Amino acid sequence: MDNQTRNVRLLYFAWLREKVGLASEEVELPVGIATVADLVDWLEQRGPQYGEAFARREVVRTALDKVHVKPSTALGAAREIAFFPPVTGG
Amino acid sequence: MAVRVQHDDFDVSAETEKLIGGRTDIGAIVTFTGRVRGADSERQIEALTLEHYPDMTEAEMARIEAEAHARWPLQASLLIHRVGELHAGDNIVLVIAASAHRQAAFEAAAFLMDYLKTRAPFWKKETMPSGETKWVDARAEDDGAADRWR
């Protein structure tokens, strides 16, 4: 699997959605993207709107297939990767 | 055990009755209702809009609820969170924790709220009277409140 590209669905919420300008997109992950942090590095190269969305990347939270994870977490076989600000419900 | 995400308002008495009505093994019920604050010393808001991550929200709320049941001897519990556009004085969130004795119910209700606020994927956007909008920032105090349960 490591030497093949694959498609994943990316979701953006709250101000990340507004900055990226999309609620969701399908992308083909290039070979070599192993962790959440790798994915963010790659996304930042895709255009200024991504650079702006991830400018304060230490505050951006991530979920893989609807479970909270850390930037160092391996993407594994995740199909849906969501990026969002710290939550403010309750 | 139940979790719900809904646009509609909720009725605390009706939800409590539905959850524990007729049961005689429950000696303590703690209910917490969170409401929209319209104004404080720093700002006044026209509306509060709640966005969420459908499916993950329910899954995360269920994980939080299961964690509370693992930590305290709860007989019943309910978590309801509203989404969409709300206004000052509206209900936002309801937590009910029911147990044989009060300590478990008090602690579990506090835990459920602390974890909801820091883990459930909801985001609040405020609309000011001028029409200007602003995403609400997460508060460090909320993380501190959740950390005390570790």
Side-chain angles (χ1 to χ4, degrees):
Chain A
M1 197 191 80
D2 282 336
N3 51 16
Q4 274 185 342
T5 62
R6 66 186 184 94
N7 288 330
V8 293
R9 184 169 190 76
L10 304 182
L11 303 180
Y12 308 99
F13 290 95
W15 53 255
L16 268 129
R17 168 172 49 71
E18 292 178 349
K19 286 182 193 291
V20 172
L22 291 171
S24 70
E25 60 180 330
E26 288 280 333
V27 300
E28 189 178 319
L29 276 190
V31 174
I33 305 287
T35 65
V36 169
D38 293 343
L39 175 58
V40 173
D41 287 341
W42 177 71
L43 284 171
E44 280 183 328
Q45 309 306 312
R46 295 179 75 222
Q49 70 274 35
Y50 293 94
E52 190 173 334
F54 291 99
R56 291 161 57 219
R57 68 155 74 188
E58 70 283 358
V59 306
V60 175
R61 303 291 188 261
T62 310
L64 296 185
D65 290 335
K66 305 182 177 77
V67 176
H68 290 289
V69 295
K70 294 185 164 65
S72 58
T73 304
L75 297 177
R79 284 283 309 127
E80 184 174 289
I81 304 166
F83 295 101
F84 44 82
V87 302
T88 54
Chain B
M1 286 173 68
V3 303
R4 264 166 33 216
V5 177
Q6 62 188 45
H7 278 86
D8 294 340
D9 195 11
F10 50 77
D11 180 314
V12 180
S13 301
E15 295 294 345
T16 308
E17 179 58 27
K18 208 162 35 172
L19 185 68
I20 51 114
R23 290 184 61 166
T24 54
D25 57 335
I26 292 170
I29 303 158
V30 171
T31 70
F32 173 87
T33 307
R35 301 174 81 230
V36 179
R37 258 180 302 116
D40 57 29
S41 56
E42 289 158 22
R43 91 239 194 285
Q44 188 186 347
I45 66 157
E46 186 68 26
L48 187 68
T49 306
L50 276 127
E51 174 177 331
H52 76 121
Y53 179 177
D55 300 342
M56 177 171 173
T57 316
E58 291 84 349
E60 191 63 30
M61 286 167 75
R63 286 191 281 266
I64 293 165
E65 189 182 42
E67 176 73 24
H69 280 254
R71 291 180 181 222
W72 290 277
L74 298 179
Q75 256 82 358
S77 59
L78 175 67
L79 281 66
I80 298 178
H81 206 298
R82 293 182 69 194
V83 292
E85 186 177 313
L86 303 175
H87 298 92
D90 285 350
N91 293 325
I92 303 183
V93 59
L94 174 66
V95 163
I96 303 179
S99 187
H101 303 286
R102 71 181 183 283
Q103 191 184 349
F106 274 130
E107 290 181 4
F111 167 89
L112 286 165
M113 271 312 300
D114 288 343
Y115 267 50
L116 255 178
K117 284 190 89 82
T118 54
R119 299 192 62 85
F122 293 96
W123 300 277
K124 290 184 182 127
K125 187 182 217 175
E126 295 174 340
T127 304
M128 309 303 166
S130 65
E132 187 191 343
T133 63
K134 178 183 175 298
W135 290 101
V136 173
D137 285 325
R139 298 163 70 239
E141 303 91 89
D142 290 335
D143 287 331
D147 283 346
R148 73 194 158 115
W149 301 106
R150 282 169 193 266

